[in-house]
Amino acid sequence: MAGQARLTGKQGQELAGYLSEATASQAKGAVVLVHEWWGLNEHIRGIADRLAKEGFTVFATDLYGGRTTKDAQEADKLLSQMDWGKASQALKDATEALRQRGGAGTKVAILGFCMGGALTLLAGANDAGLDAVVPFYGIPPDTVDVTRIRAPILGHFATKDDWCTPDKVDALEAKLKKANVPAELHRYDANHAFFNDTRPEVYSPDNAQRAWTRTVHFLREKLG
């Protein structure tokens, strides 16, 4: 049952997060899901469950130690306090645990939103064993060498975004293309966080559905 089981790391430790499992007959691979700067909230858990219904075993990592918020100032504080090195290790631990749980040949993707999108690309650069990378409107700092990514990338970005600006998305795409990293970046006429249906001020239903359909198809192709 979704959320009832636990994910265990190589050393036998319980990993912090939320596990949502596909039924054995539907299993199509596994996905590490990375939350926004709000923390591992019900919105992210809901996405994990939606992916599980599509046939993927999903582990939504908790990088804030159980803390969540709806306040932007508090979210910014939580983000600033997060250790990116430890977060990167947590994602790698989750990836390895999902491979172990699924058995030989299990393919694993990583998918994240906003802050999680940036961490998704960071994870791709640090883990050559990933099979797919799906960032939603998140780009890591320039210190992260995205040209090291070997997994195929499906990116979703907004045209109205003060953080991942169109210029930054263009620069990312050019960098990936020059390094021959397989990447397909989509732009949506929408605001940052257009996928988040708990935020009516930015949520764009049509664009969110378009991005979801592309994502599920991509994951099935790369993990199935």
Side-chain angles (χ1 to χ4, degrees):
M1 184 179 297
Q4 298 302 304
R6 300 289 183 264
L7 189 63
T8 303
K10 278 188 172 182
Q11 308 304 318
Q13 78 279 23
E14 182 180 320
L15 302 184
Y18 174 78
L19 182 66
S20 192
E21 298 180 278
T23 59
S25 61
Q26 292 180 320
K28 298 181 177 69
V31 179
V32 175
L33 182 60
V34 196
H35 59 73
E36 299 168 292
W37 71 341
W38 311 109
L40 178 52
N41 55 22
E42 288 305 311
H43 169 62
I44 297 298
R45 293 172 189 264
I47 293 172
D49 291 341
R50 285 179 67 186
L51 284 169
K53 289 179 181 178
E54 296 290 347
F56 309 102
T57 294
V58 186
F59 185 69
T61 57
D62 180 2
L63 302 177
Y64 284 175
R67 294 172 295 176
T68 63
T69 184
K70 295 181 180 180
D71 179 78
Q73 287 188 334
E74 179 65 18
D76 187 50
K77 181 179 179 181
L78 289 171
L79 171 58
S80 66
Q81 292 174 343
M82 186 183 70
D83 185 313
W84 283 67
K86 289 182 179 179
S88 180
Q89 185 60 53
L91 299 181
K92 193 167 186 178
D93 289 345
T95 301
E96 292 174 347
L98 285 172
R99 287 195 191 105
Q100 183 178 23
R101 185 183 186 86
T106 298
K107 294 183 177 181
V108 182
I110 187 163
L111 185 159
F113 297 86
C114 187
M115 176 196 84
L119 282 163
T120 291
L121 289 169
L122 171 64
N126 289 340
D127 186 352
L130 282 164
D131 296 286
V133 174
V134 186
F136 275 74
Y137 33 80
I139 298 176
D142 290 337
T143 52
V144 176
D145 184 4
V146 294
T147 66
R148 293 166 51 199
I149 298 174
R150 291 296 172 262
I153 300 170
L154 177 69
H156 305 288
F157 296 91
T159 58
K160 304 166 188 175
D161 193 328
D162 293 333
W163 181 44
C164 296
T165 64
D167 286 346
K168 288 183 179 179
V169 176
D170 290 346
L172 172 65
E173 186 173 50
K175 186 181 294 186
L176 294 170
K177 183 177 181 180
K178 185 177 180 180
N180 294 316
V181 178
E184 181 181 339
L185 305 188
H186 293 279
R187 282 82 162 172
Y188 301 82
D189 184 19
N191 292 294
H192 181 86
F194 67 84
F195 194 84
N196 192 332
D197 58 6
T198 69
R199 299 183 60 204
E201 72 277 14
V202 293
Y203 177 52
S204 177
D206 290 344
N207 286 308
Q209 183 57 51
R210 193 173 297 115
W212 179 258
T213 300
R214 285 169 170 163
T215 296
V216 171
H217 176 78
F218 179 75
L219 292 174
R220 284 177 176 166
E221 178 184 337
K222 303 305 178 185
L223 305 182

